[in-house]
Amino acid sequence: WIIGPPLKASLAKIIGVDADDELAEQALLGYRERFSVVGLFENELYPNVVDTLAALQQHGFNLYLATAKPTVYAVRILQHFKLDQYFKKIYGSELTGERTNKAELIQYILQQELLDAKTCLMVGDREYDILGARANHIHAIAVQYGYGTKTELDAAQPLLQINNFGELKKYLIENPNIF
C-alpha cells in the first residue's frame, strides 16, 4: 500500500502522525538519505519491458514517464537500467512535494508537452495511475503484475487490464484500432 501514494503521507501513516507533522518530514529525509545512494538501484525489471519499450518506440509512439518519485531519482533509475533512451522525457514529482498527485502530474505533462489527451494512453499498476489518467480524460491500461491489487485495479475501472507488459505490443501495435 505504501507504493503509489505520496511518500510523505505514507510515512506519516506508518509513524502515526499527520503528513504536515515535523516527524513526517524527518522520516522522509531519513528515507531519502538511504534511497538516494542505495535504494534507487534495488530494483529489478519486469519481463518484456525492454523489448516492449523498444518496439513501441520503433513504431512511433512517444513515451513519457509519469512517476510520483522525484524526477531526480527517476532519471537516475532509468539511466541505471538503460531505459531512459526509450522515453522522450521523464516526469516525476519535485523534492518539495509538488506534483506527487498523479492527476496533477499528468496535467502538467499534457501542458508541458502540448499533448492532446485524446491521443494519449496511461499504463500503470496502481489506482492512482488509472484515476489520474481519468481526471485528465486519458484512457488507461492497468498492469496486474505491479504493486496494485486486482481489487484496487478493478475498482479504478481501467479501459483494459494486462498480465504482462509485453501484451502492450498486442494492443498498441498489432491491433491499434482496439481503442
Side-chain angles (χ1 to χ4, degrees), residues 67-85:
T67 178
K69 281 184 182 61
T71 304
V72 65
Y73 299 146
V75 168
R76 289 179 61 201
I77 292 167
L78 266 61
Q79 288 172 340
H80 175 77
F81 289 100
K82 298 179 176 51
L83 297 176
D84 58 315
Q85 63 186 310

Side-chain angles (χ1 to χ4, degrees), residues 84-124:
D84 58 315
Q85 63 186 310
Y86 301 110
F87 292 91
K88 285 193 68 127
K89 189 144 184 196
I90 299 164
Y91 286 93
S93 65
E94 299 298 325
L95 291 172
T96 59
E98 291 175 82
R99 290 187 295 280
T100 56
N101 175 286
K102 194 61 69 97
E104 291 173 7
L105 176 61
I106 293 170
Q107 180 182 36
Y108 179 77
I109 295 169
L110 291 170
Q111 291 170 346
Q112 293 299 304
E113 298 296 329
L114 303 174
L115 299 172
D116 179 359
K118 293 178 193 138
T119 66
C120 297
L121 177 71
M122 175 70 176
V123 179

